[in-house]
Amino acid sequence: MNCCYLREAVTFCSLGNTPDEITHGIHSNPIEKYKEFTFGTEIISRQYRGIKDKKVTGNDEFYAVLEQLLLELITKSHLDSAQMEECALLIGSTSMSIPCSEPIFKSNPNETMLPHIGYGGIGECLAQTFGLGGEVSLFTTACTSSANALLYGQMGINTGKFQRAIILGFDFYNELTMSGFESFGLLSRDGCRPFDANRSGIVLGEGCGAILLDIIPSSYNSQLILRGGANRSDTSSPTAHNTNGIMVAQTIRDALCDANIEPCNVGLIKAHATGSETNDRAESTGAQQIFSQMPPVLALKSSLGHTLGGCGAVELAVLWFCLREGFIPKTYGFEVMDDSIEIIPSQGESEAKEGILLLNHFGFGGSGVVLVVQFGECE
Amino acid sequence: MKPLYIEAVSLLLQEVSESSLELKKELEHTSGQKFRRVNHFVLLALAGVFRLPNLSTIDSQCSLYVGTANGCVRDVIKMLEQMYRDTLLPMPFTFMGTSTSMAGFHIAQTLGLSGSNLTVSNPYGAFEQALSMAYTEMESGKSASALVGCVDEGVFPLDEFKKITHNDDEVVLEGGCWVKLVLECANPLAVIIARESFKTLVEVEDYCEKYVLNEPLTVIRNAKSGYVGASSGIDYVRALQEQRSGMIALISQTGLMSFSVTLTRILG
């Protein structure tokens, strides 16, 4: 069985567009930024974490940003043409090309058709631009989209289906998504507070992340290895996992089993932690069914915003940058423990130690993906 | 490789319709349930699944792979129209309907499935992509059964939809196809005996020639088309429904320089 290494990663997010900017930015409280959008006949404003110094407001910028991201990944990885020819491209996103169509719709409100129909075109265009010859797959499973792409990439490498795969996760700003979340009353007005008793909802974010999974280790001193994971479906509600935590626990259990890891060996949980009460409750209840002693818990969405389908790739890239710098970041936004949940996420930075990390992802449509990652050398 | 058996298949193809009434009626009859607050795309998926026989015996760990070329386009357009043309407050139900994975959710909920649940696409053939992923999961021993399908819906005005999706067909169809894969089966329709990937079509054809030898062979190729991502899946399911013997080679482009072939022996 092949070992699935993270060989390289690049991400553009609200903290910055380079590992240095991101690891520097994550040392400080997230800057409050607001976005105005149309909601019915009103213009309203909600917190939003847009990508630093980049705007995606149409087709050209959409592809320009994704191409820049992939170019940086390919350049930093030193992929040769033979490796590119057989490299798979696995894409996960919730909004896909909506940010391309929406501005056209907005300026022509009597438009009757989406100008950019179909998911495959995104993959085909990017594969052609860079001469990526392997399988092109697109995953659209809400907030677990790019986590599913990572899991499938690991399975493909383990089984020898391919030797390397670029995982591309992204979600760019669009009013449809902002309005949709607002229609559920899920958007926070004063910031994301994961697991906090005074939580007030989600802060959406924008981001894109590209990760090269490979049978070849990375050139960095410390390796990150994707050991396995599980995808499980909770059908109790279309919008959230059941707060009884049963399916969250099942997904964690199956992920650990797939990676051949005992719960007691998990050194860190990177929680999904959207800052919504239902997610906090379902995730913590589920985790408590698996771990007799809860490992340290980290939440990144209070720093990055919730990058939806992109969060699997974006948050893994950000976490890897921090681990390479030798630290596990602080969870921002948490102040008061919710007595009914009893989870206190990381309250300060701590030293990164080799070990097993659990990465949780839960989304609309009952989708749950838990990934198991090893920080350190392959056995 | 382990042989993967095809236990059942189904097709649902209809002329693109604005109304979902007939689909709801059919579903009420086939599933015994009433479906409210689900959109046209979800109904197409559910109705296709419920044309499969023996669903009551389905294993709760059965994986679900839904392929689609375009996803739930109607609700995306509907929500954009509500936002920008009608300046209405967006409704939670409409927003939920813009999430293509809701089809997988409703199928899993109705059948009581809690295993893998994925909605996937590919520039060349969404059905083949779904089939390939299910195959990889089952071959690696992570699942003993999988429902694999492909669904796409049409959008009005049809002329514009045809233009954008490069569809020259006189009658535009919507719907899709479904296949139930299992590792063990008492009475299978067919068995997938091999699935291989190659860099060129010539290599695929050489492989088929050497592997299949003198058996009657039906070749189905995926064709890049704006119309339903299931186009070749539909041909594949039709062949499984209509033929009583022989082999089917489902040849698919999966990437710029990546091709695959799935060889299926019909068991009659």
Side-chain angles (χ1 to χ4, degrees):
Chain A
M1 189 181 278
N2 294 322
C3 203
C4 177
Y5 290 95
L6 271 75
R7 183 166 152 189
E8 190 55 85
V10 177
T11 188
F12 302 157
C13 62
S14 60
L15 293 176
N17 303 324
T18 66
D20 281 350
E21 280 182 352
I22 290 165
T23 51
H24 180 75
I26 211 162
H27 288 307
S28 323
N29 270 313
I31 302 161
E32 285 187 14
K33 286 183 183 167
Y34 291 82
K35 197 93 176 176
E36 284 189 340
F37 61 98
T38 314
F39 191 66
T41 52
E42 285 180 78
I43 303 287
I44 63 170
S45 174
R46 293 288 179 268
Q47 278 208 27
Y48 187 77
R49 307 264 189 272
I51 294 177
K52 189 181 177 194
D53 303 331
K54 291 189 197 299
K55 260 192 179 172
V56 177
T57 51
N59 197 54
D60 292 349
E61 287 157 330
F62 176 88
Y63 281 103
V65 169
L66 291 180
E67 284 172 11
Q68 189 190 346
L69 184 85
L70 289 181
L71 181 64
E72 284 188 25
L73 182 85
I74 288 163
T75 308
K76 287 174 82 175
S77 313
H78 306 292
L79 282 177
D80 62 32
S81 57
Q83 289 175 331
M84 302 265 278
E85 275 183 16
E86 57 181 29
C87 186
L89 177 61
L90 312 177
I91 299 174
S93 174
T94 302
S95 56
M96 290 287 181
S97 59
I98 288 173
C100 305
S101 293
E102 191 177 85
I104 300 168
F105 239 89
K106 193 174 182 179
S107 53
N108 305 283
N110 292 318
E111 194 68 62
T112 50
M113 187 62 63
L114 286 178
H116 303 282
I117 282 183
Y119 300 134
I122 302 167
E124 188 179 32
C125 175
L126 294 171
Q128 272 173 350
T129 302
F130 295 100
L132 299 168
E135 173 181 331
V136 177
S137 302
L138 297 100
F139 298 76
T140 179
T141 55
C143 306
T144 61
S145 300
S146 59
N148 267 315
L150 283 159
L151 182 57
Y152 176 66
Q154 185 265 349
M155 206 193 310
I157 286 174
N158 267 185
T159 56
K161 189 172 184 178
F162 37 76
Q163 295 197 317
R164 60 191 51 81
I166 292 175
I167 311 301
L168 171 62
F170 66 87
D171 257 293
F172 296 123
Y173 176 77
N174 62 90
E175 290 194 349
L176 184 146
T177 303
M178 288 294 272
S179 303
F181 274 90
E182 178 65 17
S183 74
F184 276 101
L186 282 170
L187 295 185
S188 167
R189 292 168 191 230
D190 59 359
C192 173
R193 296 179 195 168
F195 301 115
D196 189 284
N198 300 318
R199 70 178 77 71
S200 59
I202 294 171
V203 170
L204 289 178
E206 183 181 44
C208 51
I211 292 173
L212 177 63
L213 297 180
D214 207 313
I215 55 168
I216 299 170
S218 78
S219 56
Y220 300 100
N221 286 334
S222 300
Q223 301 298 335
L224 212 56
I225 299 150
L226 187 47
R227 287 189 58 141
N231 163 329
R232 293 291 175 265
S233 181
D234 183 336
T235 58
S236 53
S237 155
T239 52
H241 273 57
N242 196 318
T243 51
N244 68 18
I246 290 173
M247 280 316 297
V248 170
Q250 188 64 48
T251 315
I252 295 173
R253 194 177 293 119
D254 289 348
L256 291 172
C257 179
D258 183 57
N260 199 21
I261 296 289
E262 292 296 326
C264 61
N265 292 325
V266 173
L268 177 75
I269 299 175
K270 193 284 297 167
H272 188 59
T274 57
S276 79
E277 182 170 355
T278 319
N279 181 90
D280 280 0
R281 214 163 282 288
E283 190 168 16
S284 55
T285 313
Q288 280 153 355
Q289 288 166 35
I290 300 294
F291 300 101
S292 51
Q293 188 170 358
M294 189 65 71
V297 173
L298 166 69
L300 289 171
K301 288 181 178 65
S302 44
S303 294
L304 303 169
H306 186 357
T307 56
L308 301 173
C311 78
V314 172
E315 293 186 9
L316 178 54
V318 169
L319 181 57
W320 192 24
F321 299 158
C322 296
L323 293 170
R324 282 180 351 208
E325 292 293 315
F327 73 98
I328 293 167
K330 173 185 170 179
T331 297
Y332 291 93
F334 180 89
E335 286 171 0
V336 183
M337 188 176 80
D338 182 338
D339 291 336
S340 64
I341 282 179
E342 290 186 339
I343 281 191
I344 301 175
S346 57
Q347 284 307 283
E349 289 180 2
S350 58
E351 186 191 345
K353 293 176 187 160
E354 290 197 348
I356 298 296
L357 322 173
L358 207 64
L359 315 176
N360 289 352
H361 313 84
F362 305 105
F364 267 26
S367 184
V369 174
V370 174
L371 301 173
V372 182
V373 172
Q374 179 179 323
F375 179 47
E377 286 304 316
C378 202
E379 290 157 6
Chain B
M1 65 156 283
K2 291 174 190 169
L4 298 189
Y5 295 100
I6 297 178
E7 188 182 272
V9 295
S10 74
L11 271 183
L12 188 154
L13 280 177
Q14 63 175 33
E15 198 170 336
V16 174
S17 168
E18 271 187 286
S19 166
S20 302
L21 209 62
E22 290 303 315
L23 288 171
K24 282 188 177 174
K25 268 189 202 166
E26 177 179 326
L27 259 173
E28 199 175 327
H29 176 68
T30 54
S31 72
Q33 296 185 37
K34 284 194 174 181
F35 290 89
R36 295 188 185 90
R37 301 186 77 79
V38 288
N39 65 22
H40 193 70
F41 182 81
V42 173
L43 287 167
L44 283 170
L46 279 166
V49 166
F50 272 94
R51 286 189 179 188
L52 288 166
N54 303 323
L55 283 175
S56 58
T57 59
I58 201 162
D59 176 12
S60 67
Q61 294 305 304
C62 180
S63 299
L64 177 62
Y65 287 85
V66 183
T68 180
N70 305 320
C72 46
V73 201
R74 282 192 192 189
D75 267 17
V76 175
I77 294 172
K78 186 176 164 185
M79 184 151 168
L80 289 170
E81 283 175 349
Q82 285 177 350
M83 286 166 59
Y84 298 125
R85 190 189 61 195
D86 309 331
T87 55
L88 293 171
L89 282 178
M91 301 307 289
F93 169 66
T94 313
F95 177 57
M96 239 169 18
T98 66
S99 180
T100 299
S101 57
M102 282 301 157
F105 170 80
H106 285 287
I107 294 167
Q109 187 183 51
T110 311
L111 296 177
L113 307 182
S114 58
S116 298
N117 187 336
L118 279 159
T119 307
V120 299
S121 195
N122 169 282
Y124 312 98
F127 172 77
E128 290 86 338
Q129 193 59 44
L131 184 65
S132 163
M133 287 180 182
Y135 183 94
T136 305
E137 190 190 22
M138 291 178 74
E139 199 188 23
S140 65
K142 292 184 180 186
S143 176
S145 58
L147 270 184
V148 180
C150 200
V151 189
D152 272 293
E153 65 182 352
V155 185
F156 291 92
L158 276 182
D159 284 347
E160 211 172 327
F161 180 64
K162 283 170 71 171
K163 197 170 72 187
I164 290 172
T165 55
H166 312 290
N167 184 345
D168 299 328
D169 298 345
E170 208 160 288
V171 178
V172 185
L173 299 174
E174 61 183 3
C177 60
W178 290 90
V179 172
K180 187 181 174 199
L181 296 177
V182 288
L183 285 177
E184 289 175 16
C185 183
N187 194 19
L189 286 176
V191 58
I192 296 176
I193 53 170
R195 193 185 179 284
E196 294 291 339
S197 296
F198 299 93
K199 282 189 175 175
T200 65
L201 262 181
V202 175
E203 288 175 276
V204 174
E205 281 156 4
D206 285 352
Y207 172 82
C208 288
E209 206 169 291
K210 281 175 196 157
Y211 201 105
V212 177
L213 292 174
N214 298 323
E215 285 186 77
L217 178 69
T218 305
V219 176
I220 297 167
R221 293 167 194 275
N222 71 350
K224 191 182 167 196
S225 154
Y227 167 58
V228 291
S231 50
S232 48
I234 288 160
D235 293 341
Y236 180 68
V237 166
R238 274 200 182 119
L240 287 166
Q241 285 176 328
E242 291 167 5
Q243 295 177 22
R244 291 287 164 263
S245 63
M247 293 269 273
I248 303 169
L250 179 62
I251 297 174
S252 319
Q253 184 170 1
T254 54
L256 281 183
M257 286 169 269
S258 172
F259 299 85
S260 74
V261 58
T262 305
L263 288 175
T264 306
R265 177 170 287 127
I266 299 167
L267 299 173

